[in-house]
Amino acid sequence: MDIDPERLIDAALTARDNGSIEEILPTLETAARRLPDHFRIWQTLAGSFRAIGDSANAMEAYRHAHMASPTEVKAIHGLAQATLEAGLPASGLFAQALNLAPGNGDLILGMTAAQIADGNADSAVNYLATVVTANPLWLDGHQTLARLRWQWGGEEFFAESYLAAIATNPRHTPLWQAYIDILIHSQCYARAADEIHRAKHATAESSIFDLPEAICASELGRIEEADILFQRLVRRDTIYTAERHVRHLLRTARPERALSRAWPWITRPGATILWPYISIAWRLLGDRRADWLDAPDRLIGIYDLDIASFGGGLAKVLRNIHNSGASPLGQSVVGGTQTDGPLFSRIEPEIHELKSAIRTSVLDYQKRMGATDADHPVLKHVQSRFDFTGSWSVRLQQGGFHSSHIHPLGWLSSAFYVDVPKADEMGSPPAGCLLLGEPPPEFNSGLSPYRIVEPKVGRLVLFPSIMWHGTQLFDAGERLSVAFDLKAYG
């Protein structure tokens, strides 16, 4: 057959965007074999395999791309990244890529991640700190360094690289903004509020810091000050500003105002982030639309899988990759660790088997969802293609829990239990249980969870990503779980 490489590449990129990449993969593979020296075909094939989490085939295709164009940094970078995601040593490959592009920030961050995966966290942090010191305006570097220092026992000085950079660049507004954002993300609100005043003075900017100042005032209980600041921001509104304002209104027991603030945004891009707050408002107001939105009987799925074939091996695989010393910055995990990178892209057979079993359960879940509802943020995707957009493992120790949260970028979210504490370790019910539909305590809503799910080995729980979910702490032992988000297409 005749092959038009450019048209095929365009078709593959379109298929990637609409979730149908697996349909075009056979054609793409055939074209690559017939055009062994065509770099872009091999690169596109590799990226397509990587997009669906097939790291083994992605690595092979990236090797072919590298052979077709040995000096092209994209190929060796892709090979390094796919190797890292597969769970294999990748530092040497990132070093090769850095020889081709020494100042590439993505490669530097990749090398850092590879060193950590190899068990060299101290070296990774020192390496990144050296690069950030030499490049004080590299915001992505600062952010990653702060996250790493937080996880490896440096909470007291996790953001010090920002301060060093600000000392030599005191008028650089984006640097101040990034520094304040990381403080807010880590819930250091009092410190962030103090630094906002410094930032305004140093940069001679004022309005640009109104939103972080409003967030800090709200979280610190300075209600009148937050009200004034949020009202000022309405004139230059964004979906994120609206979300933070709605959160503030709900926390201060004004559900009617929160609902009217959120509703004009609900048909706009990014509105998913507002639905969890609308749920709270409707429930507090006794509005029956909350039943339509949350639909717990319809949208909470519980599957008890046969874990015997991969359970023991899976637990060992997961424990081996929990190598951080503390909970990740800005996540729901308290008293435990969370793995980095896409878990389902790893090449261990136990993880492949789990991924396959989960996909089968999700297909069954879709069938049980019932009729499509075009106005519903979840049910509009009843018949849609789906794929995994994130996957990770969480290991909670004695007293560990998840704070109540949502996943605004997902369609469906999950919990799969690989190991749980013994009955005499768990504590009194509902210790250790998953609470679905209970808002965070800072809202003082008094709303009860829709469902309290007991963790059991092999149990898979599926629920909407916009549904509030968290766990109760347990007395002793260990809870090892896998979680993932799904994205729906169309």
Side-chain angles (χ1 to χ4, degrees), residues 338-403:
Q338 180 172 309
T339 59
D340 192 26
L343 181 70
F344 287 162
S345 292
R346 295 180 67 92
I347 61 171
E348 290 91 345
E350 295 88 350
I351 290 177
H352 276 254
E353 291 172 21
L354 174 62
K355 182 179 178 181
S356 177
I358 286 173
R359 183 175 287 276
T360 299
S361 297
V362 174
L363 290 170
D364 180 78
Y365 175 94
Q366 275 188 296
K367 292 177 183 177
R368 295 171 182 264
M369 291 173 79
T372 301
D373 184 341
D375 296 322
H376 195 283
V378 179
L379 293 170
K380 67 182 178 181
H381 295 303
V382 167
Q383 303 297 329
S384 297
R385 295 187 182 94
F386 66 86
D387 207 351
F388 299 94
T389 57
S391 52
W392 59 96
S393 173
V394 173
R395 187 182 187 186
L396 294 177
Q397 307 287 353
Q398 177 180 355
F401 66 96
H402 286 271
S403 57

Side-chain angles (χ1 to χ4, degrees), residues 193-414:
D194 291 341
E195 297 293 31
I196 287 168
H197 292 298
R198 289 184 60 216
K200 286 183 175 183
H201 178 74
T203 64
E205 297 275 6
S206 178
S207 61
I208 201 168
F209 295 105
D210 281 348
L211 179 55
E213 189 170 20
I215 292 170
C216 292
S218 176
E219 299 293 337
L220 293 170
R222 303 202 295 254
I223 298 172
E224 292 183 6
E225 179 185 346
D227 283 345
I228 293 169
L229 288 164
F230 276 120
Q231 194 57 45
R232 185 187 303 167
L233 285 160
V234 170
R235 295 193 298 269
R236 39 197 165 93
D237 220 359
T238 67
I239 191 78
Y240 181 59
T241 301
E243 185 256 340
R244 297 303 304 213
H245 193 184
V246 168
R247 175 181 170 85
H248 169 66
L249 292 168
L250 285 172
R251 290 187 65 204
T252 51
R254 291 176 280 181
E256 298 95 337
R257 286 192 59 189
L259 188 58
S260 64
R261 181 72 174 90
W263 199 250
W265 287 91
I266 211 61
T267 58
R268 304 189 195 183
T272 302
I273 199 171
L274 292 172
W275 282 113
Y277 300 102
I278 290 172
S279 168
I280 295 176
W282 277 342
R283 291 173 72 184
L284 290 173
L285 295 169
D287 194 314
R288 294 182 61 184
R289 286 178 292 180
D291 297 329
W292 165 82
L293 175 60
D294 295 329
D297 293 337
R298 189 175 175 184
L299 293 178
I300 295 174
I302 300 175
Y303 296 82
D304 289 314
L305 306 184
D306 180 9
I307 198 173
S309 62
F310 53 84
L314 178 61
K316 182 178 179 180
V317 168
L318 295 178
R319 289 189 179 102
N320 285 339
I321 58 177
H322 275 277
N323 57 8
S324 64
S327 304
L329 186 153
Q331 299 296 318
S332 67
V333 179
V334 180
T337 58
Q338 180 172 309
T339 59
D340 192 26
L343 181 70
F344 287 162
S345 292
R346 295 180 67 92
I347 61 171
E348 290 91 345
E350 295 88 350
I351 290 177
H352 276 254
E353 291 172 21
L354 174 62
K355 182 179 178 181
S356 177
I358 286 173
R359 183 175 287 276
T360 299
S361 297
V362 174
L363 290 170
D364 180 78
Y365 175 94
Q366 275 188 296
K367 292 177 183 177
R368 295 171 182 264
M369 291 173 79
T372 301
D373 184 341
D375 296 322
H376 195 283
V378 179
L379 293 170
K380 67 182 178 181
H381 295 303
V382 167
Q383 303 297 329
S384 297
R385 295 187 182 94
F386 66 86
D387 207 351
F388 299 94
T389 57
S391 52
W392 59 96
S393 173
V394 173
R395 187 182 187 186
L396 294 177
Q397 307 287 353
Q398 177 180 355
F401 66 96
H402 286 271
S403 57
S404 186
H405 63 291
I406 50 95
H407 297 186
L409 300 180
W411 170 52
L412 297 180
S413 295
S414 62

Side-chain angles (χ1 to χ4, degrees), residues 49 71 137 154 432 454 472:
F49 278 126
T71 60
L137 302 183
E454 180 184 359
Q472 289 283 81

